[in-house]
């Protein structure tokens, strides 16, 4: 006769698996997974529905809790597709469906990995904490690989209008995203514990600790956001500056707008000269400096004297330093997406080359392979190369940090400018390629989050809209309409103090990644011990 010996500290034998769902019930969890992803998408701008992220994570938690890791991967992938396919539809607006679907399918793999991890930690005590940390770990990976990462769609970027936004000043986008995910998973656990209490009442045993712990996972993020409100400060520590953002507009939408490069340049020249006339007639205040968008001069002013003369004439007329977005084409080597500080007396005096150039947009990795699937890659006939210097211009005594378009999605690219003295941040962009899609609103929300994260005014000059001027509390004080020529002029506060998020940099993200790894390790150890106990 054999005897089963169970160690005192080992978990008991695993319960017999419940009967699997049959018929249409098999589609419930996959359907809910897709629904959770769609709700995440709907929580993003231009819709002011930030709160939908909470039920989205609640449904995702219900879908993944107690599932095997392999099932978690599949359910997570469905959630990722439900989220990213509609979110990134603008990526195929001019180049067809294949790039959009391929990008969404690849990026959804990171959500699938998060689903696997969440399923693995979902049986741990306090699982919402570990699940939210796993989500942030997956976002951290997605922001770094492949080709330098693609952080578009980080949960934090959907919270520009939300109650959790002050947490951006505490620990940046990782802490903000963690709080949202934790609150959503916590809601799932609260519902589960309430239902469990109803069942336990029949036995007379109703422990309160699990429900209290679940309630804390909801209350702590909300309380933390309220406690962080004093960090959201729009006072003028270093005085103010009057800034002008020029939106010249483009002749037509889509990839071919560059075919009328001179018209784009002339539009920005004309708007700047009109601003100078408005200043002379006292219809608008005199700006301290002027910001043009990315690609406002796709004609290289260093190589084309007529383009340089047009720019110089506009800058001399307005009489203040102006930042020009130009494509610089050296005789050899790669193109440069460059911002040029143009002085009204000295001409070009400083430059900043975009450090994180966009794969498949500004350069084509694996060109010969990608061409098999989409011939549009040959529209990028000459690759852009990255710069290696942090961009901070001294414009009439104001230190302005520069993050060109795509760079605003990367935590390091914006933070670097602030730690190097920026009192104000500029995000010059060109969204004409993506037409009237939601892309411009998604990017604008990023800049609002960055404003709170680093407690800086942020100016977003865009070729075709939406241009905006944002105060350090994330409030938009001036904005343009899409594909409408405009000039925004506002007095904004200048600040030099550093938020905790700016000071700590990647530390909060690293700590949350450590929590995720610890949870995954603990879950793995429990699984090993359970298997051993069954074989003794």
């Amino acid at each position: 006769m054999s005897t089963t010996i169970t160690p005192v500290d080992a978990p008991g034998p695993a319960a017999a698996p419940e009967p699997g769902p049959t018929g249409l019930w098999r589609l419930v969890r996959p359907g809910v997974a897709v629904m959770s992803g769609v709700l995440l998408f709907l929580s993003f701008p231009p819709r002011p529905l930030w709160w939908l992220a909470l039920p989205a994570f609640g449904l995702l938690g219900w879908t993944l809790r107690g599932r095997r890791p392999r099932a978690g991967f599949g359910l997570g992938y469905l959630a990722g597709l439900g989220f990213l396919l509609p979110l990134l539809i603008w990526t195929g607006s001019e180049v067809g469906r294949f790039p959009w679907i391929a990008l969404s399918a690849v990026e959804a793999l990171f959500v699938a990995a998060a689903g696997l991890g969440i399923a693995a930690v979902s049986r741990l005590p306090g699982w919402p904490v570990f699940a939210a940390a796993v989500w942030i770990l997956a976002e951290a990976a997605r922001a770094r690989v492949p080709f330098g990462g693609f952080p578009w769609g980080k949960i934090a970027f959907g919270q520009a209008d939300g109650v959790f936004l002050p947490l951006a000043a505490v620990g940046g986008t990782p802490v903000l995203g963690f709080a949202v995910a934790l609150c959503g998973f916590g809601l799932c656990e609260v519902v589960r514990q309430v239902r469990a209490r109803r069942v336990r009442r029949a036995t007379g045993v109703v422990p309160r600790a699990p429900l209290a712990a679940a309630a804390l996972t909801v209350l702590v993020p909300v309380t933390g956001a309220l406690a962080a409100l004093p960090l959201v400060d729009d006072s003028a520590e270093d005085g103010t500056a009057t800034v002008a953002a020029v939106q010249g507009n483009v002749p037509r939408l889509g990839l071919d707008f560059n075919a009328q490069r001179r018209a784009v340049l002339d539009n920005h020249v004309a708007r700047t000269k009109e601003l100078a006339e408005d200043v002379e007639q006292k219809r608008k205040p005199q700006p301290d400096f002027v910001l043009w968008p990315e690609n406002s001069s796709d004609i290289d002013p260093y190589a084309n004297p007529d383009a340089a003369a047009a720019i110089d004439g506009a800058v001399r007329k307005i009489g203040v330093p102006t930042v020009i977005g130009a494509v610089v084409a050296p005789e050899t080597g790669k193109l440069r997406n460059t911002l040029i500080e143009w002085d009204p007396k000295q001409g070009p005096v400083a430059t900043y080359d975009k450090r994180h150039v966009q794969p498949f947009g500004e350069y084509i990795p694996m060109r010969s392979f990608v061409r098999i699937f989409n011939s549009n890659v040959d529209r990028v006939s000459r690759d852009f190369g990255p710069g290696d210097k942090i961009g901070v211009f001294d414009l009439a005594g104001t230190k302005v940090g520069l993050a060109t378009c795509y760079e605003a999605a990367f935590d390091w690219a914006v933070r670097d400018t602030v730690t190097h003295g920026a009192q104000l941040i500029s995000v010059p962009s060109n969204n004409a390629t993506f037409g009237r899609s939601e892309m411009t609103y998604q990017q604008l929300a990023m800049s609002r989050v960055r404003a709170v994260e680093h407690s800086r005014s942020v100016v977003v000059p865009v070729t075709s809209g939406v241009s905006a001027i944002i105060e350090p509390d994330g409030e938009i004080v001036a904005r343009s309409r899409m594909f409408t020529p405009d000039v925004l002029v506002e007095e904004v506060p200048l600040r030099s103090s550093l938020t905790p998020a700016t000071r700590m940099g990647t530390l909060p993200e690293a700590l949350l990644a450590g929590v995720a790894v610890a949870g995954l390790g603990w879950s793995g150890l429990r699984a090993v011990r359970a298997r051993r106990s069954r074989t003794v």
Side-chain angles (χ1 to χ4, degrees):
M1 182 175 65
S2 61
T3 303
T4 300
I5 301 175
T6 302
V8 173
D9 60 343
E18 298 178 0
T22 59
L24 292 177
W25 285 106
R26 291 181 180 274
L27 302 178
V28 171
R29 286 187 185 273
V32 172
V34 173
M35 186 186 302
S36 69
V38 172
L39 287 177
L40 279 180
F41 159 67
L42 292 174
S43 73
F44 273 68
R47 293 160 296 279
L49 303 176
W50 58 270
W51 52 270
L52 284 178
L54 303 182
F57 279 109
L59 289 174
L60 185 63
W62 177 85
T63 304
L64 296 174
R65 191 179 187 283
R67 299 298 96 189
R68 293 179 178 178
R70 183 174 63 181
F73 184 89
L75 293 168
Y77 193 69
L78 290 175
L81 292 177
F83 173 39
L84 295 170
L85 276 171
L87 185 80
L88 302 179
I89 193 171
W90 50 267
T91 59
S93 59
E94 294 295 332
V95 294
R97 295 179 180 178
F98 178 79
W100 158 51
I101 293 173
L103 175 63
S104 301
V106 170
E107 295 300 315
L109 289 172
F110 292 93
V111 184
L116 183 154
I118 292 167
V121 303
S122 65
R123 293 189 184 276
L124 297 178
W127 71 269
V129 175
F130 295 110
V134 166
W135 183 274
I136 298 305
L137 176 61
E139 283 194 341
R142 191 159 71 87
R144 290 168 172 80
V145 293
F147 310 118
F150 186 75
W152 211 281
K154 291 178 78 170
I155 295 305
F157 296 146
Q159 297 296 308
D161 292 305
V163 298
F164 298 100
L165 181 60
L167 290 170
V170 176
T173 59
V175 168
L176 174 53
F178 174 77
V180 175
L182 176 59
C183 196
F185 289 134
L187 286 173
C188 172
E189 180 64 4
V190 166
V191 172
R192 195 180 75 86
Q193 290 297 334
V194 168
R195 294 181 63 187
R197 282 175 64 85
R198 291 177 180 173
V199 174
R200 289 168 182 160
R201 282 199 184 105
T203 66
V205 180
V206 187
R208 297 180 179 180
L211 180 58
L216 283 175
T217 61
V218 177
L219 294 175
V220 168
V222 175
T223 304
L226 295 175
L229 278 172
L231 295 175
V232 182
D233 188 352
D234 62 355
S235 62
E237 291 177 333
D238 303 330
T240 63
T242 301
V243 57
V246 177
Q247 177 172 304
N249 203 16
V250 299
R252 58 176 177 262
L253 314 188
L255 291 173
D256 291 328
F257 78 92
N258 280 331
Q260 298 189 30
R261 296 180 299 167
R262 186 53 195 253
V264 175
L265 171 58
D266 288 344
N267 285 352
H268 288 84
V269 167
R271 299 290 84 74
T272 304
K273 288 183 175 180
E274 288 176 6
L275 171 62
E277 293 172 1
D278 286 341
V279 170
E280 290 176 3
Q281 298 299 321
K282 300 190 182 302
R283 291 190 293 265
K284 288 186 177 179
Q286 171 70 52
D288 295 309
F289 51 89
V290 176
L291 301 173
W292 284 15
E294 176 191 33
N295 300 141
S296 46
S297 177
D298 276 341
I299 302 174
D300 184 351
Y302 295 110
N304 295 270
D306 58 331
I311 294 169
D312 196 62
V315 176
R316 287 180 181 275
K317 188 168 181 62
I318 191 62
V320 296
T322 302
V323 177
I324 311 299
V327 173
V328 174
E331 292 184 3
T332 60
K334 297 181 178 181
L335 300 173
R336 290 291 186 270
N337 188 337
T338 301
L339 299 175
I340 304 171
E341 178 185 350
W342 206 288
D343 186 83
K345 295 181 179 179
Q346 304 176 60
V349 294
T351 60
Y352 167 68
D353 293 335
K354 187 176 182 180
R355 291 181 289 162
H356 199 309
V357 293
Q358 182 181 353
F360 304 103
E362 293 173 304
Y363 76 100
I364 306 297
M366 307 180 298
R367 183 183 289 268
S368 59
F369 175 74
V370 175
R371 188 184 292 116
I372 298 172
F373 303 96
N374 195 311
S375 61
N376 280 305
V377 298
D378 291 324
R379 290 176 182 264
V380 184
S381 58
R382 185 177 176 185
D383 287 341
F384 282 79
D388 57 5
K389 295 182 180 178
I390 297 169
V392 178
F393 287 169
D394 188 331
L395 302 179
T398 298
K399 292 184 177 180
V400 178
L402 306 167
T404 305
C405 195
Y406 183 58
E407 292 182 319
F410 295 86
D411 294 347
W412 59 267
V414 182
R415 177 179 177 270
D416 281 355
T417 69
V418 179
T419 57
H420 281 72
Q423 300 165 295
L424 176 148
I425 299 168
S426 176
V427 184
S429 304
N430 172 26
N431 298 337
T433 302
F434 306 109
R436 297 184 180 276
S437 70
E438 294 184 358
M439 182 270 189
T440 189
Y441 300 104
Q442 294 170 8
Q443 189 177 55
L444 181 59
M446 293 180 192
S447 295
R448 294 180 63 192
V449 172
R450 298 304 184 195
V452 174
E453 180 180 9
H454 300 294
S455 194
R456 295 291 187 274
S457 298
V458 179
V459 182
V460 186
V462 183
T463 51
S464 55
V466 175
S467 298
I469 297 177
I470 306 164
E471 294 210 333
D473 61 359
E475 179 185 357
I476 298 175
V477 293
R479 64 187 296 167
S480 69
R481 292 183 296 172
M482 293 182 70
F483 294 98
T484 303
D486 204 349
V487 177
L488 308 178
V489 183
E490 290 289 335
E491 184 179 14
V492 296
L494 303 177
R495 296 179 58 82
S496 55
S497 62
L498 302 182
T499 64
T502 309
R503 292 179 185 277
M504 291 190 290
T506 60
L507 179 60
E509 185 178 58
L511 292 175
L512 290 172
V515 172
V517 171
L520 293 169
W522 185 11
S523 174
L525 180 61
R526 282 165 59 99
V528 169
R529 291 171 63 188
R531 283 197 297 270
R532 286 178 178 175
S533 69
R534 291 196 298 269
T535 58
V536 173

